[in-house]
């Protein structure tokens, strides 16, 4: 048996798993997206009504815009926070034991479910919550701030809370692989701390940044539970459109929206992968 045949035999079990649990469901979603639906049933067909309604609705375009807005703002905030945390852990903490301990502290929120973490913000951000009460007591405001909860602010805050760790981990992993002699050489050459950060650390950290970006963007664009809870059902994203269609038994419309979302995410990932080769990090 030749080496190539042995390789195919070894890869066959994983290929079958991927085909059965990844490719086949996606193919079914694409097929169903062309079907028709009545108020109480769906029927096989090949029509573009679902896509025509999707791209012809002004409401849908606003929801798509809101989805990109949430993803962009969350990405920017998680990048700043994640890079800062990873930089501190990688370059300012010398003890590996302390690094591990602090890293575990960052994972503490993940010991509970996402819903519990979201609900915990409600008594803090509410009209009579801790934040408003403290600001009133300090004399900063005269009346409670209505936009702290059930708004875009609360949605983005929850996203940042939920997904910052997905930015911290790959950036930290990449920073730990940076040869410290490069930083010493730059410092000996007269480079300032900002120059070292800009010309040495950030370029060498790009693979980690891209991996974290892919994680955060894809998770935010597909998340609908966070938008529902933290906006009080007053905001929507593409994920919520899919959830609402499923609740109304409009599976073809939900499938069409899912196909568009999947295609959009794949395009975004494809664009990101053109900026850096992340295979070295995998």
């Amino acid at each position: 048996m030749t080496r190539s045949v042995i390789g195919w035999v070894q890869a066959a079990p994983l290929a079958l798993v991927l085909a059965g649990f990844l490719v086949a469901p996606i193919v079914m979603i694409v097929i169903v997206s062309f079907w028709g639906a009545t108020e109480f049933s769906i029927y096989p067909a090949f029509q573009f009504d679902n896509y025509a309604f999707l791209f012809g609705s002004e409401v849908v375009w606003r929801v798509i815009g809101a989805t990109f807005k949430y993803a962009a703002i969350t990405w920017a905030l998680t990048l700043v926070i994640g890079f800062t945390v990873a930089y501190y852990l990688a370059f300012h903490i010398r003890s590996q034991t302390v690094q591990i301990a602090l890293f575990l502290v960052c994972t503490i929120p993940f010991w509970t479910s996402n819903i519990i973490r979201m609900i915990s913000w409600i008594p803090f951000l509410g009209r009579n919550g801790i934040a408003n009460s403290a600001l009133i007591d300090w004399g900063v405001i005269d009346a409670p701030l209505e936009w702290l909860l059930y708004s875009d602010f609360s949605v983005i805050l929850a996203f940042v809370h939920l997904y910052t760790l997905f930015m911290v981990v790959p950036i930290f992993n990449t920073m730990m692989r940076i040869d410290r002699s490069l930083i010493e050489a730059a410092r000996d050459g007269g480079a300032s701390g900002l120059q070292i950060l800009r010309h040495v650390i950030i370029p060498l950290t790009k693979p980690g940044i891209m991996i974290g970006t892919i994680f955060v963007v894809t998770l935010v664009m597909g998340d609908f539970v966070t938008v529902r809870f933290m906006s009080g059902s007053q905001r929507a994203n593409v994920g919520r459109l899919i959830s609402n269609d499923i609740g109304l038994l409009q599976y073809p419309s939900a499938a069409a929206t899912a196909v568009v979302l999947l295609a959009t995410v794949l395009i975004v990932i494809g664009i990101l992968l053109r900026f850096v080769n992340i295979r070295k990090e995998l």
Side-chain angles (χ1 to χ4, degrees):
M1 187 178 292
T2 63
R3 179 175 296 182
S4 61
V5 174
I6 294 176
W8 280 106
V9 172
Q10 291 175 338
L14 180 59
L16 291 175
V17 171
L18 290 176
F21 294 97
L22 178 63
V23 178
I26 292 176
V27 171
M28 285 301 302
I29 291 173
V30 173
I31 293 174
V32 173
S33 69
F34 294 100
W35 287 11
T38 63
E39 188 174 356
F40 301 104
S41 64
I42 63 176
Y43 55 90
F46 185 77
Q47 57 189 24
F48 295 91
D49 293 357
N50 299 314
Y51 291 98
F53 172 78
L54 196 63
F55 291 110
S57 173
E58 183 180 349
V59 175
V60 173
W61 281 109
R62 286 203 301 265
V63 171
I64 293 175
T67 303
F68 278 100
K69 178 183 69 175
Y70 290 146
I73 297 175
T74 303
W75 167 78
L77 294 175
T78 54
L79 176 60
V80 172
I81 298 172
F83 189 92
T84 303
V85 172
Y87 181 85
Y88 177 77
L89 292 177
F91 296 105
H92 289 274
I93 304 299
R94 302 298 182 183
S95 172
Q96 186 177 13
T97 303
V98 178
Q99 280 183 341
I100 295 174
L102 292 176
F103 191 80
L104 290 176
V105 169
C106 294
T107 66
I108 288 178
F110 283 79
W111 298 357
T112 59
S113 69
N114 288 2
I115 295 178
I116 297 299
R117 282 181 281 165
M118 283 185 287
I119 292 176
S120 66
W121 282 107
I122 295 177
F124 183 83
L125 299 175
R127 178 179 176 83
N128 298 316
I130 298 174
N132 273 319
S133 299
L135 292 174
I136 292 174
D137 291 340
W138 295 340
V140 178
I141 58 176
D142 297 324
L145 300 175
E146 302 288 348
W147 53 265
L148 288 181
L149 186 61
Y150 301 143
S151 62
D152 287 340
F153 171 81
S154 59
V155 172
I156 293 172
L157 178 64
F159 276 143
V160 173
H161 178 206
L162 293 175
Y163 299 131
T164 295
L165 188 63
F166 290 94
M167 189 69 77
V168 173
V169 173
I171 294 178
F172 174 74
N173 181 55
T174 306
M175 285 182 174
M176 291 301 295
R177 299 184 183 185
I178 296 177
D179 189 350
R180 297 305 190 265
S181 62
L182 296 176
I183 299 176
E184 293 297 330
R187 186 175 291 113
D188 293 341
S192 64
L194 184 60
Q195 289 175 325
I196 293 174
L197 178 65
R198 179 180 176 183
H199 298 289
V200 179
I201 296 177
I202 291 180
L204 295 177
T205 312
K206 281 184 179 180
I209 294 175
M210 289 302 159
I211 295 174
T213 298
I214 291 172
F215 281 147
V216 171
V217 170
T218 54
L219 288 170
V220 171
M221 294 187 71
D223 191 319
F224 66 93
V225 177
T226 303
V227 177
R228 177 184 176 185
F229 276 91
M230 298 307 296
S231 71
S233 296
Q234 300 177 36
R235 301 291 189 276
N237 65 346
V238 176
R240 280 216 65 193
L241 285 183
I242 299 173
S243 176
N244 291 341
D245 284 339
I246 292 175
L248 296 173
L249 303 181
Q250 299 297 309
Y251 297 115
S253 178
T257 308
V259 170
V260 172
L261 177 61
L262 177 61
T264 303
V265 171
L266 290 178
I267 291 173
V268 171
I269 293 176
I271 294 173
L272 293 175
L273 292 180
R274 293 186 65 86
F275 288 99
V276 65
N277 182 14
I278 65 171
R279 292 183 178 181
K280 297 178 181 180
E281 300 295 315
L282 300 177

